[in-house]
Amino acid sequence: MTLAKLDYNMSPWKKTITAGLISYIDAGSIVAGAAGLSMWQAYFGMDSMQMGILAALSSNTGGAAIGALIGGKICDKYGRKFVYNYALLIYMIGVALIVCATNYPMFLLGYVIVGLTVGADVVASWTFIAEEAPSENRAKHCGSAQIAWMLGPVVVFAASIPLNSMFGLLGNRIMFAHLIVVAAFIWYQRLKMPESTEWTESKVKEKQLIAEGKFKKVTYAMILKGTSLKTVFLCCGVYTLWNISASTAGFFMPYIYEHVGNLSNTMSLVMQCANFAVCILATVVFMYFGDKVNRRGLYTIFGATPMIAWVVWTLPAEMLQTWMLWAFTIVNGFAMQQQFYQLWSSELFPVRYRATAQGFTFFVTRFAAAIWAFVVPILMETVGFRVAAIILVALSAISWLVGAILAPDDRGKTLEEITTERYGHELDDDDCLVNCEGKHS
C-alpha cells in the first residue's frame, strides 16, 4: 500500500489525534521548565532580570508569538502539512539544547528555538483539525487537542515529583529529554497524513484567479477590517487577556506556591498536577456540550472561573491557607477560554487567511504574555505578588465579559456556511474568500 493511499484512508479522529499531539509537547515544554525553575535559577544563578527574559522568550510567550506569526503565513501559502512536518525537527534540536545546557545563554537559546517551532506548529495543527473535523463534531475534535495540552502538564508534574526529589536538576533534564522522544514519534506519524482538504481546494481556486488576473494578495489590512476585525477582537479579547493569567500559572505557579504560598516543592507540583487534571475534566465537558448546547451560554458559565479563582491571591500572604490554595487550583482548572479560542480562531476566519489570522491572534496573545512574564518577577521582588493578582482578576473579568457578549453559536455548520454567513455581505468573488471554501464538512 502506498504512502499516499495510507494518507487518505486515515480516519478523522486519527488525523485529529496525530495533529493535536503538538499540544502535549507545547504544554510539556512550558511546565517542564516550571517544575524545575527554582533549580535552574540556583544552577545558573539567575537574577530576576534573567528569569524575566527566559519567561518572555519561551514557548509560553514571546518565542511562540513570533513562531505563530511566521508559521501562520507559511501555513496559508505552502500548506498545513509543510509546517507541521518540518517544525518538529527543529523543536527537537531546541529541546536537546535545554537538556544539555551548561550555561544560561545555551539554556535561553534552547527555549527560544522551542518557542518558535511550537508557535508555528500549533497554528498549523489547530487549523488542520478544524478543517478536517466533521461539522457536527468540530468542538469535540478541537477539544481533543486541549486534552493533549492538559495531559502534558499532568504527566510532567507527576513525573517531576519523584525525579526532582531523587535526582534534582538531572531529573528535570530527563523530563525535557522525554519530549524529544514524543516529538520524534509524532513527526513519524505525521509523515502519513494528508494535506488539508479545505486548503487544497482553496489553492485550486486561487490558481484560477491568478490566471484570470483577479487574485488579491492577503494582507494584514484585509484581516484587520470589517467582520475579520470583529473576529480578531473576539479572539484577542477572550484569549489574550485570559492567557496572561494562564501563562502566569503555567510558568510561575510552582515558584509562586513555594515563595508566596509557603508550600514545599513537592506539594506545589501536586497542586499543579491536580489543576491540569481538572482542566482535562473541563475539556471533556466542553467536548460533550460544545456541539450540543448554546456556546455563548457554555462560555458564560465556565469563562468566569479564572476571575473567581485569582481572588485568592489578592489576600495578604499571612492569610493564605492550604485549603484556599486548593480552591484556587480546582476552580481555575475549569476555565474554557483556550478551548473556545481554538474553535473560534479556526472556524470564524475564511480559509484563504485562516492560519494567518489565527497566527496573528496567537502572536498578540503570546506577545502580551511575554511582556507580562518579564514584569512578574520584578513585581514579586518589589511590590509583591498581590498587586499582580489584582491585575489578573481584572483582566480575567474583561475576558469573561467579551466572550459572554460576543460569542457566536455556529454548532453543526460547515466552514463554508460559516464563512458565507459572516462574510458574504461584504466580500465579492474576486476576493477568493467565499468561493474558495471547499465543500468538506
Side-chain angles (χ1 to χ4, degrees), residues 17 20 55 76 133 142 160 166 171 218-219 321 338 348 361 414-415 418 421 423 427 440:
I17 292 171
D76 280 333
C142 289
S160 292
M166 292 187 293
V218 171
T219 64
Q321 303 293 320
Q338 182 155 302
L348 299 183
T361 58
T414 66
L415 297 179
I418 295 172
E421 289 179 9
Y423 298 88
L427 300 172
H440 178 71

Side-chain angles (χ1 to χ4, degrees), residues 191-430:
L191 292 178
K192 308 171 187 178
M193 290 175 66
E195 181 55 86
S196 160
T197 306
E198 292 279 330
W199 181 83
T200 301
E201 293 176 352
S202 76
K203 297 306 284 187
V204 171
K205 178 64 177 179
E206 180 180 303
K207 289 179 180 179
Q208 293 175 354
L209 291 175
I210 291 175
E212 296 169 5
K214 298 179 180 179
F215 178 72
K216 293 184 179 180
K217 184 179 179 180
V218 171
T219 64
Y220 285 110
M222 184 183 293
I223 296 171
L224 298 176
K225 70 177 183 179
T227 302
S228 283
L229 179 58
K230 295 177 183 177
T231 306
V232 168
F233 181 80
L234 169 66
C235 290
C236 291
V238 168
Y239 189 53
T240 303
L241 298 181
W242 166 80
N243 189 67
I244 290 175
S245 64
S247 65
T248 303
F251 192 83
F252 289 109
M253 213 63 231
Y255 188 87
I256 294 169
Y257 278 136
E258 293 174 43
H259 292 80
V260 182
N262 294 314
L263 300 180
S264 66
N265 178 261
T266 298
M267 182 54 70
S268 71
L269 294 180
V270 168
M271 284 197 173
Q272 279 291 81
C273 187
N275 173 258
F276 285 105
V278 175
C279 289
I280 291 177
L281 176 60
T283 304
V284 171
V285 173
F286 171 82
M287 293 172 67
Y288 183 80
F289 290 105
D291 294 305
K292 297 181 179 181
V293 303
N294 184 283
R295 289 173 178 171
R296 180 181 296 178
L298 188 65
Y299 178 85
T300 300
I301 295 171
F302 289 95
T305 56
M307 171 183 63
I308 298 169
W310 281 99
V311 170
V312 168
W313 294 99
T314 65
L315 300 174
E318 58 271 17
M319 290 182 60
L320 293 175
Q321 303 293 320
T322 301
W323 70 267
M324 295 179 181
L325 304 187
W326 273 112
F328 164 80
T329 297
I330 295 171
V331 174
N332 195 46
F334 277 101
M336 288 189 181
Q337 273 84 346
Q338 182 155 302
Q339 292 90 325
F340 274 102
Y341 166 75
Q342 181 188 345
L343 180 65
W344 291 334
S345 64
S346 298
E347 71 177 10
L348 299 183
F349 292 108
V351 63
R352 186 182 173 208
Y353 57 70
R354 183 171 291 140
T356 301
Q358 186 184 95
F360 175 77
T361 58
F362 200 84
F363 167 80
V364 172
T365 297
R366 295 291 176 105
F367 186 76
I371 296 174
W372 176 252
F374 181 78
V375 171
V376 168
I378 300 173
L379 286 176
M380 292 181 66
E381 194 174 83
T382 54
V383 297
F385 187 68
R386 285 184 67 197
V387 174
I390 292 171
I391 296 173
L392 294 178
V393 171
L395 294 177
S396 297
I398 298 172
S399 168
W400 172 62
L401 285 172
V402 170
I405 295 171
L406 300 179
D409 185 27
D410 294 314
R411 288 170 291 155
K413 298 176 183 177
T414 66
L415 297 179
E416 179 188 13
E417 289 171 342
I418 295 172
T419 298
T420 301
E421 289 179 9
R422 292 178 64 83
Y423 298 88
H425 66 286
E426 62 186 52
L427 300 172
D428 57 37
D429 291 348
D430 289 354

Side-chain angles (χ1 to χ4, degrees), residues 155-192:
V155 172
V156 171
F157 279 127
S160 292
I161 294 171
L163 286 175
N164 286 2
S165 177
M166 292 187 293
F167 302 111
L169 186 60
L170 175 60
N172 195 245
R173 293 181 191 270
I174 293 173
M175 288 314 307
F176 273 108
H178 106 280
L179 296 174
I180 300 177
V181 177
V182 176
F185 171 78
I186 299 171
W187 175 79
Y188 175 74
Q189 293 300 316
R190 285 180 170 185
L191 292 178
K192 308 171 187 178

